């Protein structure tokens, strides 16, 4: 199986070539696969620290505070201190909680993020696997994080947790419909469901990115995707699942120590994953923002693609954080109204209009 | 290597499916079901049917299991104390043994007479790409455009029905 895996998704970058030059073929494929998984793990771990630090700093500056300043220069080592504290704290399991599910649930959101990261094209050859139906894979695997939240809420044996979990399950399932429809729009425009193919379809200047290439509709789809993914991530203004003021923390109420930290990590890495998907679908992925100018374009092209990718992704992450400190939380019924009465019809109409645009050749 | 992996995954599918129907706690059963869906997807990938594997994960793990979980969470009795009596458990086991014997006999019959059934599958099926599936689904000649449209009409009706059902009744508020 490993050999056919290597045929399907060979590691084509220079690390893969080095491994292949040192080891014979069957071993090289296995080592390449393991290296790819290890690098993903390192990415997830370091992203967690970076994003939590960013969130604290950004929120602090939005509120005219400094945020963490004591540990290291400008509080740079604060995530490390937080992590060590979380590891050494005791995990308290409530009486009557279901042990197996209680400890299984925190792992699911992180593993969903991990699995989606495997198909994200960070650069031309910086992608663990590129299945032809990548979009379908992303949609399917992200269901795992809903599963984790539902199970956590039930296993905690706490009414607040169960209420939060049910709210969040309903919310994520509803908004996934809009997300799927908007992904379908992008698949229709690109003519492929592979994430790498979608990025390659946006090759050229900044006006070839789907956000600008589709006249008017592109930017509309981009905004709708941002709203829907914020709701899917359970972030403020759609954080009715956690709702500290009503539900004392929702599904994560009973969690402490490292299992709470896993939820936290999953939430933040999922935010980054959503930003990666926005970058891939609308912002041209790893392509440099070229303007068709003679002098500047070659200079912009000098910067490697993965740096562009991360810059765009962190811009979107900053947008998510900005939302959080700008909008107040909506009510449950307002949220459902937004999805079923506004977003769903709007995304269906958008899909039909884009179909018309593609059929008439008005794209680009 | 290939055969070994197949046996590992196939036994995982069998074990997890067995757990899904035998565990007394419904929620544990649902988790075992998720595991068995994933293992089945792995078998599809081994057969190079990528689209089928992805559809399996997207539909079953992402959709159906989540709805099953919501339903299970809304039920009061998770069936923890509802273990079967010895007599009815024995009956279930008996039925299982009969069905297993029947299927084994069928497999043995067809493997000893390969001319009857296995001719179409003895060549390894060529991997079908997702593009081919899409083109075949929507092509008017030699395609599945009619069933596709019928299914989409059905789904649209279901969607509109859900919106209508969940609409708030305003009649009572209009009276005064």
């Amino acid at each position: 199986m490993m050999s056919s895996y290597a045929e399907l998704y060979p590691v084509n970058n220079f690390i893969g070539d080095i491994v292949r030059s040192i080891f014979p073929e069957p071993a090289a494929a296995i080592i390449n696969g393991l290296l790819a998984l290890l690098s993903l793990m390192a990415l997830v771990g370091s992203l967690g620290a970076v994003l939590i630090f960013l969130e604290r700093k950004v929120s602090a500056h939005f509120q005219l505070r400094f945020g963490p300043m004591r540990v290291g220069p400008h509080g740079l080592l604060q995530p490390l201190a937080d992590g060590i504290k979380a590891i050494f704290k005791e995990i308290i399991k409530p009486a009557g909680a279901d042990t197996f599910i209680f400890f299984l649930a925190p792992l699911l959101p992180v593993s969903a993020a991990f699995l989606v990261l495997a198909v994200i094209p960070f650069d031309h050859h910086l992608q663990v696997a590129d299945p032809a139906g990548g979009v379908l894979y992303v949609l399917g695997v992200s269901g795992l994080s809903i599963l984790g939240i539902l199970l956590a809420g039930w296993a905690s044996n706490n009414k607040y947790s169960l209420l939060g979990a049910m709210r969040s399950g309903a919310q994520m399932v509803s908004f996934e419909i809009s997300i799927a429809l908007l992904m379908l729009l992008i698949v229709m425009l690109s003519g492929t469901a592979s994430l790498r193919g979608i990025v390659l379809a946006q090759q050229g200047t900044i006006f070839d990115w789907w956000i600008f290439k589709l006249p008017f509709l592109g930017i509309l789809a981009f905004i709708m995707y941002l709203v829907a993914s914020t709701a899917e991530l359970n972030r403020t203004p759609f954080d009715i699942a956690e709702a500290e003021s009503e539900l004392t923390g929702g599904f994560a109420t009973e969690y402490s120590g490292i299992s709470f930290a896993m939820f936290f990590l999953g939430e933040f890495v999922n935010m980054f994953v959503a930003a990666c998907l926005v970058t891939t679908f609308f912002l041209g992925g790893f392509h440099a923002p070229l303007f068709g100018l003679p002098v500047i374009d070659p200079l912009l092209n000098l910067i490697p693609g993965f740096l562009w990718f991360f810059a765009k992704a962190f811009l979107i992450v900053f947008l998510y954080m900005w939302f959080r400190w700008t909008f107040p939380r909506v009510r449950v019924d307002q949220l459902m109204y937004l999805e079923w009465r506004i977003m769903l019809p709007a995304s269906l109409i958008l899909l039909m209009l884009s179909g018309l645009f593609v059929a008439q050749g008005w794209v680009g | 290597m290939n055969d070994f992996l197949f046996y590992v995954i196939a036994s995982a599918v069998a074990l997890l499916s067995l757990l899904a129907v035998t565990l007394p706690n419904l929620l544990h059963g649902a988790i075992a079901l998720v595991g068995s869906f994933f293992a089945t997807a792995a078998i599809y990938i081994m057969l190079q049917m990528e689209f089928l594997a992805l559809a399996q994960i997207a539909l079953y793990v992402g959709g159906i299991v989540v709805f099953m979980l919501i339903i299970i969470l809304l039920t009061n009795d998770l069936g923890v104390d509802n273990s079967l009596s010895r007599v009815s458990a024995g009956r279930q086991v008996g039925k299982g043994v009969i069905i297993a014997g029947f299927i084994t006999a069928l497999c043995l019959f067809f493997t000893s007479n390969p001319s009857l059934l296995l001719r179409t599958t003895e060549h390894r099926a060529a991997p079908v790409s997702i593009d081919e599936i899409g083109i075949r689904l929507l092509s008017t000649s030699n395609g599945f455009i009619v069933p596709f449209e019928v299914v989409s009409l059905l789904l649209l009706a279901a969607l509109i029905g859900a919106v209508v059902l969940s609409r708030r009744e305003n009649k009572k508020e209009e009276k005064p």
Side-chain angles (χ1 to χ4, degrees):
Chain A
M1 195 54 219
M2 274 301 172
S3 57
S4 67
Y5 167 84
E7 284 160 25
L8 272 174
Y9 313 118
V11 178
N12 279 328
N13 53 23
F14 76 100
I15 298 174
D17 290 338
I18 291 172
V19 171
R20 263 190 293 274
S21 68
I22 297 174
F23 298 98
E25 190 34 64
I30 295 172
I31 291 170
N32 267 331
L34 286 179
L35 274 180
L37 290 183
L38 270 180
S39 51
L40 272 190
M41 276 181 207
L43 184 67
V44 169
S46 50
L47 269 179
V50 170
L51 288 168
I52 288 168
F53 178 73
L54 268 182
E55 171 94 7
R56 295 185 66 168
K57 276 293 188 188
V58 169
S59 65
H61 282 283
F62 269 112
Q63 299 166 341
L64 296 180
R65 294 184 286 120
F66 283 124
M69 289 295 279
R70 301 291 175 104
V71 193
H74 279 266
L76 268 174
L77 296 176
Q78 187 67 43
L80 195 70
D82 288 349
I84 291 170
K85 177 192 152 212
I87 289 169
F88 283 108
K89 268 177 93 168
E90 186 187 359
I91 305 175
I92 298 162
K93 187 175 77 71
D98 190 312
T99 313
F100 173 64
I101 300 180
F102 187 78
F103 291 114
L104 172 79
L107 303 177
L108 292 178
V110 188
S111 39
F114 183 80
L115 287 172
V116 178
L117 276 177
V119 295
I120 302 271
F122 292 106
D123 205 342
H124 274 289
H125 295 294
L126 210 62
Q127 186 180 14
V128 176
D130 182 32
V135 171
L136 205 61
Y137 172 85
V138 168
L139 275 176
V141 167
S142 56
L144 270 184
S145 59
I146 308 178
L147 219 63
I149 287 172
L150 279 177
L151 290 178
W154 181 82
S156 300
N157 197 24
N158 179 324
K159 286 199 175 79
Y160 288 127
S161 300
L162 189 59
L163 272 176
M166 297 306 289
R167 279 179 174 193
S168 134
Q171 171 186 349
M172 289 166 95
V173 167
S174 314
F175 276 86
E176 208 166 64
I177 300 171
S178 278
I179 288 194
L181 284 174
L182 291 167
M183 283 184 180
L184 192 63
L185 191 153
I186 298 296
V187 169
M188 187 174 72
L189 291 172
S190 314
T192 170
S194 122
L195 292 183
R196 191 173 134 78
I198 288 172
V199 173
L200 291 181
Q202 306 173 55
Q203 211 153 24
T205 61
I206 193 168
F207 301 107
D208 287 317
W209 298 355
W210 288 129
I211 180 172
F212 298 124
K213 197 172 184 181
L214 193 66
F216 310 115
L217 298 185
I219 195 121
L220 203 62
F222 173 72
I223 293 169
M224 279 173 62
Y225 191 93
L226 272 187
V227 173
S229 60
T230 313
E232 169 102 354
L233 289 170
N234 283 329
R235 280 185 68 82
T236 329
F238 305 110
D239 68 335
I240 55 160
E242 282 182 50
E244 287 94 341
S245 47
E246 313 161 23
L247 287 179
T248 66
F251 60 90
T253 307
E254 295 290 353
Y255 281 89
S256 58
I258 192 71
S259 49
F260 177 75
M262 287 306 269
F263 268 126
F264 214 59
L265 180 70
E267 205 169 289
F268 276 86
V269 178
N270 268 319
M271 175 169 73
F272 181 77
V273 166
C276 285
L277 290 174
V278 174
T279 309
T280 308
F281 291 148
F282 293 99
L283 301 180
F286 47 74
H287 292 308
L290 307 175
F291 293 95
L293 301 171
V295 189
I296 304 169
D297 278 5
L299 282 176
L300 288 176
N301 260 333
L302 276 180
I303 300 172
F306 68 90
L307 285 184
W308 281 120
F309 187 91
F310 277 98
K312 290 171 191 172
F314 274 104
L315 185 75
I316 302 295
V317 165
F318 178 72
L319 270 182
Y320 284 138
M321 291 176 179
W322 198 350
F323 288 166
R324 177 167 180 178
W325 300 106
T326 308
F327 299 115
R329 180 186 306 144
V330 297
R331 285 199 318 265
V332 184
D333 57 322
Q334 289 170 336
L335 187 89
M336 287 298 153
Y337 184 90
L338 177 70
E339 165 60 23
W340 290 98
R341 301 292 294 281
I342 299 172
M343 294 278 288
L344 182 61
S347 42
L348 279 173
I349 291 169
L350 200 66
L351 195 63
M352 280 192 271
L353 277 180
S354 316
L356 187 73
F357 274 44
V358 171
Q360 296 289 327
W362 293 341
V363 176
Chain B
M1 185 77 183
N2 225 332
D3 290 349
F4 175 71
L5 255 174
F6 171 78
Y7 283 118
V8 169
I9 297 172
S11 51
V13 171
L15 187 72
L16 287 166
S17 315
L18 210 63
L19 281 177
V21 290
T22 52
L23 281 175
N25 189 321
L26 276 180
L27 215 53
H28 291 174
I31 292 170
L33 197 63
V34 173
S36 101
F37 284 149
F38 265 109
T40 314
I43 285 189
Y44 290 149
I45 286 187
M46 286 191 72
L47 294 170
Q48 301 199 327
M49 293 183 183
E50 209 179 55
F51 178 75
L52 202 57
L54 293 177
Q56 165 95 3
I57 293 175
L59 287 181
Y60 285 95
V61 179
I64 289 173
V65 166
V66 170
F67 280 107
M68 275 167 64
L69 271 187
I70 290 180
I71 293 165
I72 292 173
L73 295 188
L74 286 175
T75 49
N76 279 326
D77 191 3
L78 277 175
V80 180
D81 306 323
N82 295 353
S83 48
L84 290 169
S85 69
R86 286 192 73 152
V87 178
S88 55
R91 276 184 195 157
Q92 299 297 336
V93 170
K95 283 175 196 163
V97 167
I98 291 170
I99 291 171
F102 182 65
I103 290 174
T104 317
L106 267 184
C107 289
L108 281 178
F109 175 71
F110 282 119
T111 41
S112 56
N113 302 304
S115 57
L116 286 174
L117 186 68
L118 289 179
R119 175 154 293 169
T120 46
T121 50
E122 72 187 354
H123 307 290
R124 189 170 182 174
V128 184
S129 77
I130 189 167
D131 302 357
E132 284 171 46
I133 292 173
I135 290 166
R136 190 79 192 280
L137 264 183
L138 289 178
S139 75
T140 44
S141 60
N142 186 29
F144 297 93
I145 183 76
V146 175
F148 184 83
E149 290 298 330
V150 169
V151 167
S152 62
L153 211 63
L154 190 72
L155 288 175
L156 186 69
L159 200 64
I160 294 172
V163 172
V164 169
L165 278 181
S166 61
R167 225 168 66 172
R168 199 179 297 153
E169 295 279 340
N170 283 331
K171 283 174 188 169
K172 284 172 189 170
E173 293 169 13
E174 285 166 9
K175 269 182 183 175

